[in-house]
Amino acid sequence: MTNTLGRPDFDVIAGWVEPGHRVLDLGCGDGALLKHLIETRNVQGWGVDIEDANVLAALRNGINVIQSNLENGLKDFADDAFDHVVLSRTLQTVRHTEGILREMLRVGREAVVSFPNFAYWQNLRSVLDGRMPVSEDLPYQWYDSPNVRFFTLLDFEALCEKMGLTIVERRVLDEAGEIIQAESPRDLNFLGSLAVYRLTRPR
Amino acid sequence: MPGIGVVESQRIHFSEPLHLRSGGILPAYDLAVETYGTLNAARSNAILVCHALSGHHHLAGHYADAPDNVGWWDNIIGPGRPLDTDKFFIVGLNNPGGCHGSTGPSSINPATGKPWGADFPIIAVSDWVNAQARLADKFGIDSWAAVMGGSLGGMQALRWSISYPERVRNALIIASAPKLTAQNIAFNDVARQAILTDPDFHGGHYYEHGTRPVRGLRLARMLGHITYLSDDQMGEKFGRELRNSSFAFDYDVEFEVESYLRYQGDKFAGYFDANTYLLMTKALDYFDPARLDDGDLVRTMARTHPDTNFFVASFTTDWRFSPARSREIVAALLANGRKVSYAEIDLNFGHDSFLMEDPQYHGLVAAFLGNIAL
């Protein structure tokens, strides 16, 4: 298995952006994804993060970064300002789930969302064994987890349908970062540790 | 880390008249200037630091004959400091209209042979930027590696990026705003009224009367000082502490906060020129670069260069230039697809935070400047 910087979803996302695209990365951390996209895909990138340490690290990485709280929406960003708005492994930490998804598709043509799938069979087994799951994609103990929303791949797709969002593409990865080649959503929901979606809204 | 050490200032004469936004003309003028570090052969490593209301050209270090006179932004400038003098050539100046060696109201008006006083023309931020552009020409600097400033200094950095987009490769706009609010103008007007109504003001021609409107200037500074601090910080620093153990039931200094403010007011009134204070507050009030674009800051920021990198920062406890005001600048830059970073720094010193030394704040400035390729 090869993937970039130990982040298999980065390569999936890199495959969805075109050179010159404007990319906004919400919860950008130290800017590693944007740096990767700038270097490999020649995009224009901006990141958003609330943590002091992440803003400093992103700036050190030469990334444009805006310190802001995603829970307050994206009011500093104009409509349709970006080609892609990325929310990588962050949706489960945001309380206003529908709000942030709507905001992403207001400021961007496409939303790219990746999140850990709580229905992954190893996670289910862990719960059946009596303990909350801890894994590559869920690397926290229950008491120190930043996650506030616990949902599965099928839950997410149901929400997209309710909100009228179009799922353009879906990639589901196992814990090793390999893309799972199953067809049925139920199988993917069972086998996938991390899901990456490409969404649009009808205009 | 030790600072820059002993520094010297210089006066540079400009004989070409400066045509001002107000319609006035400054026929010729001097600028007091300090520089630190070495301008490289390509003249590509220069950073201009613009001062705020009461600032000047003495940014860092101290004079050989005055070791206690340390520059006002010494904590950020020097070898190994965020504005690293081993890498950059730092330029500070006293703006025209100032009272620290540049031509200002206390200078002699060549037309009358007497101090300019109230006849000194009103100066706008854009006028300062034009004067600074001529200073850059003198140094042979085609484009600044960075233009930087806090508060009114940030307004100059912003104006630079709009007026001379090709001459600003990076802009640092700290604790600033795209224009003042009504509340902010109101504070400035109370400060001006304190000076203008002082019997020693003499319509601005107090130099000829051998007086200075010290009382008015002192009140103006006391008021300003309150607005530069945060409520929390004042509470922590002074609370309701009394200088003596019990109430005196009179109007003398009783609370520590009174003592502090009066001291600050006296100190400032002792050296600052009241006419300069008036000019600076008017420059603040008039600043509104979007005015010529029907108030649309997005259109104004379209005038900036697509390759200019912006660093905008605000402080959580700053209510005089609140984070929301900085975010207006950020939003207008983002709407134009400009390269901008924004930080909201959690510091407890109100508007004065921009002068403080803080690992996050200085780390961000160092990181931003560290990305500059010379």
Side-chain angles (χ1 to χ4, degrees):
Chain A
M1 179 210 71
T2 58
N3 58 59
T4 305
L5 311 166
R7 292 286 303 269
D9 50 333
F10 282 17
D11 289 334
V12 172
I13 296 167
W16 289 345
V17 300
E18 300 291 332
H21 272 180
R22 291 181 176 183
V23 180
L24 178 67
D25 185 9
L26 305 177
C28 67
D30 65 1
L33 170 63
L34 284 171
K35 199 170 183 205
H36 176 62
L37 296 179
I38 290 164
E39 283 166 2
T40 63
R41 304 294 291 162
N42 197 25
V43 302
Q44 304 177 64
W46 291 262
V48 175
D49 212 289
I50 188 162
E51 293 295 332
D52 283 351
N54 288 340
V55 173
L56 183 54
L59 204 59
R60 281 192 180 132
N61 270 326
I63 299 300
N64 301 310
V65 59
I66 308 295
Q67 188 160 29
S68 187
N69 186 350
L70 295 181
E71 299 285 9
N72 298 335
L74 302 173
K75 56 184 186 303
D76 294 335
F77 300 91
D79 295 357
D80 294 313
F82 301 94
D83 296 295
H84 298 272
V85 182
V86 179
L87 190 65
S88 171
R89 300 177 192 240
T90 302
L91 187 63
Q92 75 281 359
T93 69
V94 178
R95 243 168 231 292
H96 299 97
T97 314
E98 287 183 75
I100 194 66
L101 288 173
R102 251 195 305 274
E103 277 285 85
M104 288 172 77
L105 284 165
R106 175 182 67 79
V107 305
R109 196 163 49 79
E110 267 188 27
V112 175
V113 181
S114 75
F115 58 85
N117 172 30
F118 283 81
Y120 173 49
W121 67 274
Q122 294 266 35
N123 296 342
L124 299 179
R125 194 174 72 177
S126 183
V127 174
L128 284 175
D129 285 344
R131 301 294 299 271
M132 285 300 279
V134 177
S135 70
E136 189 76 21
D137 294 313
L138 285 172
Y140 300 98
Q141 296 293 335
W142 65 273
Y143 50 81
D144 65 7
S145 172
N147 300 335
V148 297
R149 296 282 182 241
F150 305 91
F151 54 100
T152 71
L153 195 144
L154 292 180
D155 287 331
F156 181 74
E157 293 189 6
L159 178 65
C160 289
E161 192 178 346
K162 177 189 160 247
M163 291 179 66
L165 308 181
T166 309
I167 296 171
V168 181
E169 277 191 73
R170 169 183 66 201
R171 292 274 187 283
V172 183
L173 310 173
D174 64 21
E175 230 176 319
E178 298 290 350
I179 292 176
I180 297 165
Q181 302 295 344
E183 288 292 323
S184 98
R186 279 194 64 86
D187 288 352
L188 289 170
N189 202 35
F190 188 68
L191 298 171
S193 176
L194 187 77
V196 195
Y197 283 83
R198 190 175 176 184
L199 311 170
T200 59
R201 69 176 157 83
R203 310 247 148 182
Chain B
M1 256 170 292
I4 188 91
V6 173
V7 301
E8 288 177 358
S9 59
Q10 53 180 315
R11 270 169 84 100
I12 301 178
H13 183 71
F14 294 80
S15 49
E16 187 98 335
L18 189 65
H19 293 263
L20 306 171
R21 170 94 160 76
S22 61
I25 296 172
L26 208 50
Y29 55 97
D30 290 344
L31 294 181
V33 176
E34 282 183 18
T35 69
Y36 323 110
T38 308
L39 186 61
N40 63 9
R43 296 169 196 266
S44 64
N45 67 333
I47 297 180
L48 174 67
V49 178
C50 305
H51 70 76
L53 200 148
S54 60
H56 43 70
H57 55 294
H58 183 37
L59 308 176
H62 60 268
Y63 302 125
D65 59 356
D68 294 335
N69 185 357
V70 176
W72 59 270
W73 217 349
D74 184 78
N75 63 24
I76 208 166
I77 298 167
R81 292 186 183 173
L83 276 75
D84 191 340
T85 48
D86 290 336
K87 178 179 178 187
F88 295 110
F89 177 67
I90 315 288
V91 177
L93 79 158
N94 186 212
N95 283 326
C99 55
H100 290 90
S102 292
T103 299
S106 59
S107 308
I108 299 298
N109 179 353
T112 63
K114 291 194 283 190
W116 281 93
D119 298 333
F120 197 86
I122 295 272
I123 293 230
V125 169
S126 56
D127 301 324
W128 286 333
V129 168
N130 290 337
Q132 291 158 4
R134 287 187 186 176
L135 179 63
D137 295 340
K138 277 252 175 180
F139 283 118
I141 296 163
D142 287 337
S143 76
W144 297 99
V147 178
M148 172 175 187
S151 190
L152 179 56
M155 290 174 168
Q156 291 160 61
L158 180 59
R159 178 39 93 179
W160 259 99
S161 72
I162 299 163
S163 294
Y164 297 98
E166 71 292 345
R167 301 189 75 174
V168 183
R169 303 205 301 282
N170 296 273
L172 297 93
I173 301 161
I174 299 167
S176 197
K179 60 177 185 238
L180 292 193
T181 58
Q183 186 195 47
N184 235 321
I185 294 170
F187 280 124
N188 282 344
D189 193 46
V190 175
R192 281 191 295 270
Q193 285 299 316
I195 293 168
L196 294 168
T197 58
D198 185 321
D200 287 332
F201 184 62
H202 296 291
H205 293 289
Y206 45 85
Y207 316 100
E208 299 160 40
H209 290 79
T211 61
R212 297 173 65 245
V214 171
R215 285 166 291 181
L217 187 56
R218 175 175 177 267
L219 281 177
R221 183 58 171 183
M222 286 170 74
L223 173 69
H225 214 86
I226 297 167
T227 70
Y228 303 148
L229 305 178
S230 72
D231 188 21
D232 281 356
Q233 179 203 6
M234 279 184 122
E236 271 169 36
K237 198 166 175 177
F238 308 108
R240 292 179 51 83
E241 287 298 310
L242 295 166
R243 301 189 74 195
N244 301 310
S245 52
S246 58
F247 290 159
F249 297 103
D250 64 22
Y251 297 113
D252 210 346
V253 176
E254 283 201 84
F255 291 93
E256 285 295 350
V257 68
E258 295 174 310
S259 163
Y260 173 80
L261 277 180
R262 290 180 196 197
Y263 170 76
Q264 292 294 336
D266 286 337
K267 196 173 75 167
F268 187 75
Y271 71 83
F272 206 83
D273 182 67
N275 279 318
T276 290
Y277 200 87
L278 294 174
L279 278 180
M280 296 285 168
T281 59
K282 284 306 269 190
L284 274 163
D285 291 2
Y286 288 133
F287 183 71
D288 182 7
R291 191 178 161 83
L292 297 176
D293 293 304
D294 306 319
D296 185 352
L297 190 61
V298 173
R299 267 164 58 199
T300 305
M301 297 318 283
R303 300 166 190 268
T304 64
H305 200 283
D307 291 334
T308 300
N309 297 292
F310 290 86
F311 174 73
V312 181
S314 67
F315 298 92
T316 48
T317 56
D318 184 353
W319 56 277
R320 185 89 197 246
F321 288 80
S322 72
R325 310 310 317 287
S326 285
R327 296 185 80 119
E328 290 174 31
I329 300 170
V330 173
L333 286 166
L334 285 169
N336 283 291
R338 293 300 187 255
K339 298 190 255 182
V340 53
S341 289
Y342 169 70
E344 208 162 292
I345 300 158
D346 193 12
L347 261 177
N348 201 19
F349 304 100
H351 187 51
D352 273 350
S353 295
F354 86 87
L355 295 167
M356 301 298 164
E357 193 173 349
D358 171 73
Q360 176 72 9
Y361 171 32
H362 280 194
L364 290 164
V365 172
F368 182 77
L369 294 177
N371 291 327
I372 297 178
L374 297 178

